[in-house]
Amino acid sequence: MAAEGADIVAQRHARILEIARHAGSVAVETLAAELDVTPQTIRRDLNMLAQRSMLSRVHGGAVVTSGVDNLDREARRHVAAGAKAAIGEAAAALVPNGASLFINIGTTTEAIARALVDHRDLLVVTNNLNVIDILGNRPSIEVIVAGGKVRGTDRAVVGALAMDFIRAFKVDYALIGASAVDEEGTLLDFDVDEVRVSQTIITQARTVILGVDRTKFGRPAPVRIAEMDAIDHLVTDRMTDPAVAAACRAANVAVHETEKLD
């Protein structure tokens, strides 16, 4: 019986990992319903997988462990897609008509771009070729693309040329994303070239708006973008991490949540 029990647990763990690697993240309640076990069982499973560094625990579930590598863009596009759309609407609402802005690389910033399509008289500078597809044909939005090396996996323009190009501008708003925010409020990502462009964008903007869904809180990533005091607004679906919330308060960052508390 003990061996049979271990087999069942191993099969369930394999299924959890399969779901997580496909979606990028998993939620306790969703897994419990899909695997027909209790939420307590799923929590134990996720804790065991986290101890083996196969997943990283976050509030209400887990995310794929990516200590040095991010998910590819297609996988990231499906992670928290509904939350990202709501974050996009809320972040776009902070941007007035007639503003100048940077939009950097990321699926969340692309959601913000989609929410900006009806704004008027915007000047948008971006290193994200996907943003050009979203905003490039809007008659009242002028789009300027950074020059430099194009990363084929996600159509990001990165490198020294992009940084030099961005330094030619001083804009009203920077709309940025991050792959992770740790408990101390440090913004983190995976690619050094991308991070250096993001850092340049932050320094060249008067107001910085960070859009991150709650799966990013507590997630590991190796490269530092900035500390929380570099940010003016943090837009998320739900602030689930008390330590990150405290870091925001200490840095006087305005937190905007798109989900209402029950």
Side-chain angles (χ1 to χ4, degrees):
M1 293 296 293
E4 182 181 5
D7 288 344
I8 292 171
V9 171
Q11 291 171 12
R12 189 169 62 247
H13 285 185
R15 179 58 180 152
I16 290 171
L17 290 171
E18 180 184 1
I19 295 169
R21 286 166 181 159
H22 176 74
S25 65
V26 287
V28 169
E29 298 297 333
T30 302
L31 285 175
E34 182 163 342
L35 301 178
D36 195 24
V37 294
T38 66
Q40 291 80 3
T41 296
I42 293 298
R43 291 189 188 97
R44 285 196 298 271
D45 289 338
L46 295 181
N47 288 338
M48 291 173 65
L49 292 168
Q51 288 170 4
R52 294 156 58 191
S53 298
M54 302 182 78
L55 291 174
S56 293
R57 286 287 268 128
V58 295
H59 184 82
V63 297
V64 174
T65 296
S66 299
V68 294
D69 294 309
N70 201 3
L71 298 169
D72 63 36
R73 181 181 179 276
E74 185 61 23
R76 284 185 284 122
R77 191 170 63 84
H78 295 290
V79 176
K84 290 175 182 177
I87 290 167
E89 294 287 345
L94 298 173
V95 178
N97 291 321
S100 58
L101 52 143
F102 289 124
I103 301 178
N104 80 341
I105 199 70
T107 54
T108 303
T109 52
E110 289 164 22
I112 299 173
R114 283 189 285 273
L116 288 168
V117 294
D118 293 324
H119 275 55
R120 299 187 306 278
D121 303 321
L122 295 183
L123 172 65
V124 176
V125 183
T126 185
N127 68 319
N128 185 341
L129 298 185
N130 301 305
V131 168
I132 298 170
D133 293 341
I134 296 166
L135 296 177
N137 64 349
R138 309 305 296 184
S140 62
I141 299 176
E142 181 178 357
V143 180
I144 300 175
V145 60
K149 179 178 66 177
V150 177
R151 190 170 60 192
T153 55
D154 57 2
R155 305 178 76 209
V157 181
V158 295
L161 287 175
M163 293 163 60
D164 289 343
F165 184 90
I166 289 165
R167 289 191 189 101
F169 296 86
K170 187 73 175 183
V171 300
D172 299 318
Y173 296 90
L175 303 171
I176 69 168
S179 292
V181 181
D182 72 12
E183 292 183 350
E184 296 178 350
T186 304
L187 282 58
L188 302 166
D189 222 304
F190 294 90
D191 185 89
V192 172
D193 287 338
E194 181 177 339
V195 164
R196 292 180 67 194
V197 173
S198 295
Q199 290 169 338
T200 307
I201 285 172
I202 289 171
T203 62
Q204 297 301 112
R206 298 181 181 90
T207 300
V208 180
I209 301 172
L210 171 67
V212 286
D213 66 82
R214 59 188 169 193
T215 68
K216 306 297 176 60
F217 299 140
R219 185 185 182 198
V223 188
R224 173 189 172 278
I225 302 172
E227 301 303 319
M228 189 60 72
D229 59 9
I231 306 305
D232 299 289
H233 299 269
L234 188 155
V235 185
T236 188
D237 50 340
R238 182 78 65 86
M239 177 55 73
T240 56
D241 192 311
V244 175
C248 290
R249 289 192 297 271
N252 294 316
V253 174
V255 176
H256 309 264
E257 297 178 86
T258 62
E259 288 187 6
K260 302 297 183 182
L261 294 173
D262 297 331

